[in-house]
Amino acid sequence: MAVRPILTAPDPRLKAVSALVEKVDVKIRKLAEDMADSMYAADGIGLAAVQVGVAKRIIVMDLNQKEGDQKTGKKNWRVFINPKILWASEEKAVYEEGCLSVPEIYDDVERPARIKAEYLDLDGKRVEIEADGMLATCLQHEMDHLEGILFIDHLSRLKRAMLLKKLTKAKKLATA
Ligand code: K1U
Ligand code: ZN
């Protein structure tokens, strides 16, 4: 188990556009495991590799992590490698989002309500899914990370500037 530190805004590394994974090999599997450990340690439901400073197109997710498997304690995380949106609905949905890289800030974001996407699993096999609800929201939030976009980039310029000021101040206080 290896928990890696999670970068927080306004760290410029979070703005990187992540590179395609060329081959799903042992190194990628180890990175995905570390990402899952880091996500659970931070009480998150998703994480993109760029958030632990590795700009590769890899996402881990466990939407049931708060409950877990009560009997076995088994974690059911899934991994999305090189994810691509194939279709997005005209219909929109609004969810309150949070981000481990934007600590203690939550706000409503509007996104397509339903999507179809493809990705590679940990065996390098191509998978297609249809998603709605929290899965659609979380997948789009994490895929934004792969383009260097944070959920606060969907808010008004004024709100984003205020939040970034607050985050910078909190970071300064934490290191003082
Ligand atoms: O940092 C991240 O990208 C993970 C993020 C995923 C996410 C949460 C909510 C909406 C979209 C994407 C989190 O896990 S934030 C922490 C959290 O568990 C949470 C926050 C708000 C609502 C639900 C869960
Ligand atoms: Zn995030």
Side-chain angles (χ1 to χ4, degrees):
M1 155 152 179
V3 173
R4 302 193 189 194
I6 295 174
L7 305 178
T8 55
D11 192 311
R13 286 172 289 179
L14 288 167
K15 291 269 146 215
V17 175
S18 295
L20 280 171
V21 172
E22 302 274 334
K23 189 171 173 236
V24 183
D25 57 15
V26 67
K27 268 190 172 174
I28 294 295
R29 286 186 200 106
K30 169 79 174 79
L31 171 60
E33 275 168 23
D34 286 359
M35 287 169 61
D37 290 340
S38 311
M39 173 185 74
Y40 288 123
D43 277 339
I45 56 173
L47 194 73
V50 70
Q51 292 178 275
V52 292
V54 182
K56 289 185 193 290
R57 301 183 86 83
I58 308 171
I59 290 165
V60 293
M61 201 181 291
D62 185 351
L63 297 182
N64 299 315
Q65 91 108 339
K66 297 255 151 56
E67 291 87 32
D69 185 318
Q70 301 297 330
K71 275 189 206 134
T72 61
K74 196 168 170 272
K75 307 282 193 185
N76 287 309
W77 56 279
R78 52 205 286 197
V79 64
F80 302 85
I81 299 169
N82 295 343
K84 190 175 159 196
I85 291 182
L86 302 172
W87 172 85
S89 66
E90 293 285 325
E91 187 197 338
K92 308 285 182 200
V94 176
Y95 277 90
E96 186 179 68
E97 299 193 14
C99 182
L100 300 173
S101 295
V102 188
E104 288 165 41
I105 289 167
Y106 302 89
D107 218 318
D108 285 347
V109 178
E110 183 183 270
R111 300 182 186 273
R114 286 172 288 118
I115 56 168
K116 281 185 192 160
E118 65 171 23
Y119 61 92
L120 301 179
D121 67 14
L122 273 183
D123 297 318
K125 203 177 89 206
R126 183 182 169 276
V127 182
E128 253 187 60
I129 50 159
E130 289 185 30
D132 61 6
M134 202 56 197
L135 177 58
T137 295
C138 196
L139 203 45
Q140 291 175 81
H141 173 115
E142 300 307 333
M143 285 174 75
D144 269 359
H145 276 301
L146 308 184
E147 304 303 327
I149 298 167
L150 296 173
F151 84 93
I152 54 172
D153 295 325
H154 291 277
L155 308 178
S156 74
R157 202 188 295 184
L158 182 67
K159 205 164 191 181
R160 185 168 58 251
M162 271 170 47
L163 294 175
L164 283 171
K165 211 169 155 186
K166 195 172 149 187
L167 284 166
T168 308
K169 204 171 159 190
K171 260 190 171 180
K172 268 199 191 134
L173 281 172
T175 54

